Structures are given as structure tokens and as C-alpha cells.
Amino acid sequence: MKLPPRLLPFAVLTLISGPALAQMDHSMHGQPAINRASAPHAMTDMDVLAPLSGKAFDRAYLSMMIGHHQGAVEMARAVQGRVKDAQVKTWVANVIRDQTGEIRDMTAWLKPLGGLDIKMRGMMATGMKGMITPLKTAKEPDRAFVQGMLPHHASALDMANLALQKSSDARVLKLSRDIIKAQADEMYAFKLWLAKRG
């Protein structure tokens, strides 16, 4: 089947990062794979964002990313004070500091776009619950946090990659680039940390 030129970037992205894209349906986070497979028509973040353009895209993207960041902060707070590894403690503190700062910036940028889109943020926040709840009772909070942040970061990379393609706002473009650089580096470090522990 021959794809239209405008769909080629998405086809390439799917081939390169299929497992990461599979995590994009935040309503399915934390649920068994069989449940995700039985809901093939569930609306995903990319389904919502991809058709949008201009200010409508920026508003939806920033609102969803605020919900996504709030989820990360809650994940970090769920294990804060219980993690023992020095590196994991640093990651937890950095997530709270960095993503809280980005939430503040994104909230300010949304004001001229019509403010926070409650529906978009809410959709993301609802999906985050499946990633936060297990951390509150994890017997190995260090490992659980690192493992949980891998799919969380992967979905942020997918959203940020889409923003680099669709947004024209210099602040949104820079934020998206920064998210990709920082979170890809963290994912690499997470994998190395986990590999050392078997």
C-alpha cells in the first residue's frame, strides 16, 4: 500500500518506536496488554492531537502536556522519602523540580490561547492514574519508579516529536526539543540503571 507523503513521517516513526507509540493511549496505562488489545478503537493522545493545527494544536498540546507533567510529579511524590538509591533520589527530585517549572511556563503560555483546556488536561490526568497508583504500594519503590518512568517518558517523546512537526510557536518548539533531549537521556540512564541490577 502506498502512503500519501504527509503520512510518511508517521509511518517511519511507528516503525522506529512502535513499543513507545503503543504506550500513547494513557487510558490504557497500567492495564494488562489483553485489555489494550481488546480496545483497538480507544482514542489515543496522538489521535486527538494529529488532526489539529495552529493555535488549536498548541492549546491542546500544552494542556495535555501539563496533565502529563502533573502525572510525573505525582509519580515522583508517590515514592519520595521511600527510595533509597542516591541516583533514584536525584531523579525523583529532578522530576518534581523540572516538571513543576515547565507546568508553570506552559500555564502562562496558554493564557493568550484561551487558557487551559480542562478536557484535554483531564483526559491525560485520568490516564495517569494507572501509572501512579502502583507506585504508592510498590515493595521496591526505586525499581518501580524507574520502570514506570520509561513508558511515561516514551509517550512524552511521541507528543513532543509531533509538536516539532506541527507547531509554529517558538516557545512550544523549544520546550518540545528540550523534552526530547532531556527525557531521552534519562531513558538511557534508566535502562543502564536497571541493567546493572538485573
Side-chain angles (χ1 to χ4, degrees):
M1 179 176 74
K2 188 173 181 180
L3 290 172
R6 65 185 179 82
L7 292 181
L8 287 175
F10 294 102
V12 172
L13 184 60
T14 300
L15 288 171
I16 293 171
S17 59
L21 286 172
Q23 293 292 336
M24 280 307 299
D25 183 2
H26 289 279
S27 66
M28 299 290 120
H29 272 321
Q31 297 184 24
I34 186 123
N35 288 352
R36 289 197 299 271
S38 66
H41 302 298
M43 185 66 74
T44 68
D45 305 336
M46 299 294 267
D47 290 334
V48 171
L49 290 173
L52 302 176
S53 61
K55 291 182 178 180
F57 173 85
D58 290 337
R59 185 180 183 217
Y61 169 73
L62 291 171
S63 297
M64 292 179 87
M65 194 59 84
I66 285 173
H68 196 270
H69 275 26
Q70 287 171 335
V73 170
E74 287 185 49
M75 288 172 73
R77 287 186 174 145
V79 298
Q80 192 177 31
R82 294 194 297 129
V83 293
K84 297 179 174 62
D85 184 272
Q87 178 59 72
V88 179
K89 287 180 181 180
T90 299
W91 284 329
V92 166
N94 288 350
V95 164
I96 294 170
R97 182 197 66 214
D98 297 344
Q99 299 208 22
T100 298
E102 288 179 355
I103 289 168
R104 183 177 56 248
D105 292 340
M106 289 187 285
T107 301
W109 300 343
L110 276 165
K111 287 179 183 175
L113 298 175
L116 180 71
D117 186 321
I118 301 296
K119 182 180 176 183
M120 293 294 184
R121 186 194 64 85
M123 182 172 72
M124 183 64 72
T126 298
M128 290 286 101
K129 289 179 183 175
M131 302 186 85
I132 298 163
T133 304
L135 292 177
K136 294 179 179 178
T137 56
K139 292 181 180 178
E140 295 183 63
D142 296 80
R143 182 181 294 274
F145 175 75
V146 174
Q147 289 176 331
M149 290 307 292
L150 280 166
H152 188 276
H153 276 13
S155 61
L157 297 185
D158 291 333
M159 290 172 64
N161 271 314
L162 185 62
L164 287 179
Q165 295 173 63
K166 296 187 69 82
S167 182
S168 298
D169 186 301
R171 295 169 303 184
V172 172
L173 293 171
K174 183 180 183 302
L175 172 71
S176 300
R177 182 205 63 183
D178 291 348
I179 286 172
I180 290 167
K181 288 170 66 176
Q183 296 197 16
D185 283 348
E186 283 185 352
M187 287 178 73
Y188 176 67
F190 295 160
K191 294 294 284 189
L192 293 180
W193 187 91
L194 289 167
K196 287 178 182 177
R197 283 149 187 83

